[in-house]
Amino acid sequence: MAHLAVNVDHVATLREARGAKYPEPIAAAIAAETAGADGIVVHLREDRRHIQTRDVRLLKQVVRTKLILEMAATTGMLGIALDIKPDVVTLVPEKREELTTEGGLDIITHQDNIKEAVATLKNNGIDVCIFIDPDLDQIKIAHKINADMIEIHTGAFCDATSDSIKKAEFSRIVDAAKIGSKLKLGVNAGHGICYNSIKAFKGLNEISEFSIGHSIVSRAVMTGMEQAVKDMVQLIKEL
Ligand code: PXP
C-alpha cells in the first residue's frame, strides 16, 4: 500500500489569517499520525504566509513518523534545514505572488544549483526529494544529480477541465512514475489530490507515497463543524 504524507500548511493558514495562537498545526500533525498518516509535510515559504520556522522546530520534536520539509533551494532555507534536520527535504520552486506551488522545479535550467543543494542535504543525512512535472527529461536529471526521490506534480491532472486533458495528463504521470521507478528513484506524487482524484491512481504501484494537504484540511473543517457548533451552543446554553 502506498504511504500517505499529510500536509498541515493550511491549518497554519487559518491561524495566520487572524494572527492567533490556534489552530495549532502541531496538534493537527499529531492527530494525523494517530489516524494513520505515514508522514507529516510542511512548506516553509519565504514569505512565512502559513508555516513558521517555530512550527518546523516543534514538529521535528513531536513527529514520530517522518517529517518532510518542502522548501526552495536557497541559502537561507538550506541553513534552516541543516539546523532542524527534517527526515526529508522536498525541493520546490517558489514565487512570492503565487497562490500555491505552480509547476514543478525546472532542474534542467537550475541543474548546478539544485545539484549542490542535493549534495549538501545528503551529506548532512537528509533524504532529498525533488518536486517535478511528469517530464521524462526532468526525471533523468533528478537521477543524474543523485536525488533519492521525485515527487510528480499531479496538479495539471487534478485541475484538468476536460476528460481529454485529464486522460493525457494521467498518461504523463504513468510514464513518469514508470521511468522514475526504473531509475530506482523513490516515486511520490502530490498537488491537488482530493477524495475523487485519488481513485485514478489505483494500480499505479510505482507510486510509493501521496502528499496531500488542502483536501484533507478542508474535509477536516467540514467533518468537525457539527461538533464545533454543538460545543458552542452548549456553552451559550450554560450562560
Ligand atoms: N506537494 C507539493 C510539493 C506541494 O507544494 C503541495 C502544496 O503545498 C502539495 C504536495 C500538497 O498539495 P495539496 O495541498 O493541493 O494537497
Side-chain angles (χ1 to χ4, degrees):
M1 194 185 112
H3 284 178
L4 169 64
V6 175
N7 179 316
V8 295
D9 288 353
H10 294 303
V11 177
T13 301
L14 264 185
R15 178 189 62 191
E16 298 304 315
R18 279 292 180 89
K21 292 205 164 159
Y22 65 87
E24 175 57 83
I26 318 305
I30 294 169
E33 284 190 322
T34 304
D38 302 291
I40 299 299
V41 190
V42 285
H43 184 176
L44 186 63
R45 299 186 74 103
E46 194 194 353
D47 63 10
R48 303 296 195 271
R49 68 174 72 159
H50 40 51
I51 291 294
Q52 308 297 311
T53 311
R54 160 265 188 208
D55 298 327
V56 187
R57 282 192 200 288
L58 286 172
L59 285 168
K60 168 69 183 180
Q61 289 174 41
V62 305
V63 164
R64 286 170 300 137
T65 52
K66 174 172 72 169
L67 177 61
I68 303 155
L69 174 62
E70 290 178 4
M71 55 173 240
T74 60
T75 310
M77 290 307 308
L78 283 168
I80 292 172
L82 298 192
D83 179 29
I84 300 181
K85 289 209 165 64
D87 299 287
V88 178
V89 160
T90 298
L91 295 173
V92 299
E94 201 173 298
K95 289 192 220 115
R96 262 180 187 263
E97 61 284 5
E98 68 192 356
L99 264 183
T100 180
T101 315
E102 293 166 356
L105 191 55
D106 180 357
I107 51 175
I108 296 174
T109 308
H110 304 290
Q111 187 173 160
D112 293 344
N113 179 34
I114 301 300
K115 185 178 176 182
E116 207 180 307
V118 171
T120 303
L121 291 162
K122 288 183 69 158
N123 288 339
N124 282 274
I126 300 169
D127 289 344
V128 184
C129 179
I130 307 182
F131 182 59
I132 44 182
D133 289 332
D135 176 304
L136 304 192
D137 293 331
Q138 297 279 354
I139 296 167
K140 285 179 198 158
I141 301 289
H143 175 251
K144 189 175 150 202
I145 64 175
N146 292 322
D148 299 292
M149 291 162 267
I150 53 168
E151 181 181 331
I152 302 171
H153 187 348
T154 53
F157 162 69
C158 293
D159 299 340
T161 47
S162 76
D163 283 350
S164 61
I165 299 175
K166 226 177 182 55
K167 217 169 142 196
E169 288 298 337
F170 195 71
S171 101
R172 291 180 72 205
I173 292 172
V174 172
D175 292 347
K178 290 195 187 299
I179 278 280
S181 168
K182 216 171 183 175
L183 292 172
K184 304 264 180 290
L185 287 160
V187 179
N188 304 335
H191 211 283
I193 299 176
C194 69
Y195 291 81
N196 282 328
S197 52
I198 187 68
K199 294 172 189 163
F201 294 86
K202 187 177 168 69
L204 187 51
N205 298 326
E206 284 80 6
I207 294 179
S208 48
E209 187 170 275
F210 293 98
S211 178
I212 308 179
H214 189 263
S215 64
I216 291 179
V217 173
S218 301
R219 182 169 285 216
V221 169
M222 297 315 296
T223 54
M225 184 59 91
E226 243 182 87
Q227 193 59 49
V229 173
K230 277 182 189 163
D231 290 348
M232 186 55 84
V233 167
Q234 184 57 36
L235 287 170
I236 290 172
K237 211 186 257 172
E238 289 166 16
L239 291 178

